[in-house]
Amino acid sequence: MLDIRELREHSTEMQARLASRDPSIDLAPIFELDDARRKLIGKVEELKAEKNRGSEEVAARKKAKQPADDLLERLSDISSRASKLDEELRAVERRIEDLVSRLPNVPHPSVPTGSKDDKVILRSVGTRREAGFSVRHHLDIAEEKGLLDFKRAATIAGAKFPMYTGKGALLELALIQFMVAHHARRGYTPVLPPFVANAQSFFVSSQFPKFADEVYAIEKDGLYLNPTAESLLVNLHRGETLAADELPKKYVAYTPCFRREAGGYGEQERGLIRIHQFNKVELFKFTTPESSYDEQEKLIADAESVLQALNLHYRVALLTTEDMAQQATKTVDLEVFLPGQDRYYEVSSCSNCEAFQARRGNIRYRPTPKDKPVFVHTLNGSGLATSRLVASILENNQQSDGTIVVPEALRPLVGFDTL
């Protein structure tokens, strides 16, 4: 969440930068409400001062054994007026908080302005494989080899829910185990968090209130299914004040992820491309403001190292202002190549959120023991999502005889070299 004081003090700049994310954003209604809030605070303070003076006069009259009924009646009226103004003030403050909580983060100056199609390709790693034969779609391969069963999954849960079977299940589990261990060796603390969270946790992560309709709700218990482990990990230090020498704090977590919105049913979203449930290994960091962009580059490198270990061709893209998640100030995507569709698909979004989430969760640190606490910066990135990795392995590692070569890094975990 943004700081309303900063919005007001730099209103012209903030309006322009936020409008680059969404041209419909208008800060004027927030400032009008903030003006009304300030006036209400002034009126409340005046009434409280008047009440204090009246109370002193009542005390003086009683000490002098003089009647004070008229004053007591006036004080009762002042209390009633102050109470009504307090209620009005709280309503205005709630409205301000709601409007501010729906604003996206301010984009970093290095982020290009534009739509999804304007992203900047920073680099390409590896080369596209020239198979010498027609590469098949991963779903066709998986169904033929008994690796996926979407039909029975639909019987259990409905459309767009996958079910891995046989060696497909072993491959999926191997990817999860490999990535968690891989990042743990790179200094991340492994975490297996709850797969559900309460509304406050989702507010801190910025999932709520704006995207409440996109998550699966367990209404009876006031809980929600995890859409991404970022929503859980950001709450690890909610309400805490950390020491500078604790930072950066680096976590890696495995969770299944659940999302209502799963796109359409076209060729580009067939199979594992866009589904309601998928597995993901998530990377998360709490850092100082001064180091957060250096830590973001390290986060990107850590996510890339998985694709390199799996020997998959990919590219790195800097997202534009209109294409970032609400909480992000700068996002770099890793996009793996799927030759069966001749397309790149995102497998990791590595974002710096600066103090946006920390302000919501009151997560601070002291630069020195004597310093006033300041908000940490939070960073997140998939390290990686498994579903599109499986799709990429099946499509990139096809052989002319129909077999699929298992990446060398996964062979000890699955117990076979080919599918």
Side-chain angles (χ1 to χ4, degrees):
M1 193 157 65
L2 300 174
D3 185 345
I4 190 169
R5 289 174 295 182
E6 188 175 358
L7 288 174
R8 181 179 281 280
E9 289 171 7
H10 307 282
S11 58
T12 301
E13 177 191 358
M14 289 295 192
Q15 175 65 60
R17 292 173 69 184
L18 289 170
S20 74
R21 296 200 62 165
D22 181 352
S24 69
I25 290 176
D26 183 7
L27 297 178
I30 295 174
F31 295 148
E32 289 172 6
L33 283 168
D34 194 43
D35 288 337
R37 180 186 68 85
R38 294 181 180 201
K39 290 177 182 177
L40 284 168
I41 289 173
K43 291 179 180 178
V44 169
E45 293 300 322
E46 287 177 9
L47 287 175
K48 287 181 178 178
E50 185 178 351
K51 183 179 178 181
N52 288 337
R53 290 192 297 269
S55 297
E56 290 174 0
E57 188 174 346
V58 167
R61 287 194 187 185
K62 287 185 176 180
K63 187 175 181 179
K65 296 184 179 181
Q66 296 176 350
D69 291 349
D70 57 328
L71 275 176
L72 292 170
E73 186 176 345
R74 183 158 65 89
L75 288 176
S76 176
D77 177 63
I78 291 172
S79 295
S80 178
R81 287 158 55 198
S83 179
K84 290 179 181 179
L85 286 176
D86 273 332
E87 289 180 12
E88 189 176 344
L89 175 61
R90 285 193 293 271
V92 169
E93 289 175 337
R94 285 194 297 271
R95 181 59 179 152
I96 291 171
E97 182 178 357
D98 181 66
L99 291 177
V100 174
S101 70
R102 294 174 185 274
L103 291 174
N105 205 347
V106 177
H108 189 268
S110 64
V111 175
T113 300
S115 65
K116 183 176 182 178
D117 296 333
D118 299 319
K119 63 186 175 186
V120 178
I121 304 304
L122 300 176
R123 59 184 178 274
S124 181
V125 180
T127 56
R128 296 191 189 189
R129 180 185 174 218
E130 298 297 333
F133 57 89
S134 180
V135 176
R136 300 174 66 198
H137 191 285
H138 67 273
L139 181 59
D140 298 331
I141 300 168
E143 290 184 334
E144 177 188 274
K145 296 184 181 299
L147 309 177
L148 283 170
D149 191 337
F150 273 97
K151 292 180 180 178
R152 288 187 173 89
T155 300
I156 297 169
K160 290 289 184 179
F161 286 90
M163 182 163 67
Y164 297 85
T165 56
K167 291 184 177 180
L170 292 176
L171 181 62
E172 176 76 358
L173 291 170
L175 276 168
I176 295 168
Q177 186 176 350
F178 165 72
M179 291 188 292
V180 171
H182 176 82
H183 292 302
R185 287 193 295 269
R186 296 174 77 91
Y188 289 82
T189 299
V191 177
L192 286 175
F195 297 159
V196 296
N198 54 36
Q200 182 61 25
S201 294
F202 276 32
F203 174 80
V204 172
S205 69
S206 307
Q207 201 76 31
F208 287 176
K210 191 172 183 180
F211 304 104
D213 292 340
E214 295 182 12
V215 301
Y216 286 98
I218 309 171
E219 295 180 0
K220 183 177 179 180
D221 301 298
L223 295 171
Y224 303 86
L225 293 182
N226 161 54
T228 169
E230 172 198 351
S231 301
L232 312 173
L233 296 178
V234 69
N235 289 278
L236 282 178
H237 298 291
R238 188 169 86 200
E240 296 181 22
T241 299
L242 306 171
D245 59 8
E246 293 182 80
L247 302 177
K249 279 187 171 293
K250 301 163 52 177
Y251 297 100
V252 56
Y254 156 68
T255 62
C257 302
F258 305 88
R259 297 183 186 178
R260 282 187 184 280
E261 193 280 315
Y265 292 85
E267 179 65 21
Q268 294 178 0
E269 296 185 348
R270 193 163 65 97
L272 294 170
I273 299 304
R274 195 175 293 276
I275 46 185
H276 288 306
Q277 177 185 327
F278 57 96
N279 293 309
K280 188 159 67 132
V281 172
E282 183 79 3
L283 305 177
F284 199 91
K285 293 185 180 184
F286 298 88
T287 77
T288 64
E290 295 77 16
S291 67
S292 68
Y293 283 95
D294 287 338
E295 290 295 337
Q296 185 179 17
E297 292 302 315
K298 294 176 184 177
L299 182 75
I300 295 165
D302 289 333
E304 285 186 81
S305 69
V306 173
L307 293 171
Q308 293 163 8
L310 297 175
N311 197 29
L312 293 172
H313 165 55
Y314 66 96
R315 67 185 187 184
V316 182
L318 175 62
L319 299 194
T320 62
T321 52
E322 295 180 24
D323 197 26
M324 295 189 296
Q326 182 197 28
Q327 63 272 26
T329 186
K330 183 176 182 178
T331 298
V332 172
D333 273 8
L334 306 184
E335 301 177 340
V336 74
F337 182 66
L338 270 66
Q341 299 165 70
D342 195 32
R343 285 174 57 89
Y344 288 90
Y345 285 98
E346 175 257 315
V347 290
S348 179
S349 286
C350 299
S351 298
N352 190 333
C353 301
E354 293 194 358
F356 194 85
Q357 294 173 320
R359 184 172 287 108
R360 288 173 173 240
N362 192 27
I363 310 166
R364 304 169 186 258
Y365 83 105
R366 293 184 187 274
T368 71
K370 295 182 179 180
D371 284 337
K372 181 181 178 182
V374 295
F375 291 115
V376 301
H377 281 192
T378 59
L379 297 87
N380 68 84
S382 300
L384 306 161
T386 61
S387 52
R388 292 179 181 178
L389 280 184
V390 169
S392 184
I393 289 169
L394 295 180
E395 293 190 15
N396 279 286
N397 292 13
Q398 293 177 52
Q399 306 300 304
S400 59
D401 63 358
T403 61
I404 310 295
V405 175
V406 175
E408 188 173 349
L410 303 180
R411 293 174 191 172
L413 297 171
V414 296
F416 46 83
D417 297 347
T418 61
L419 292 165

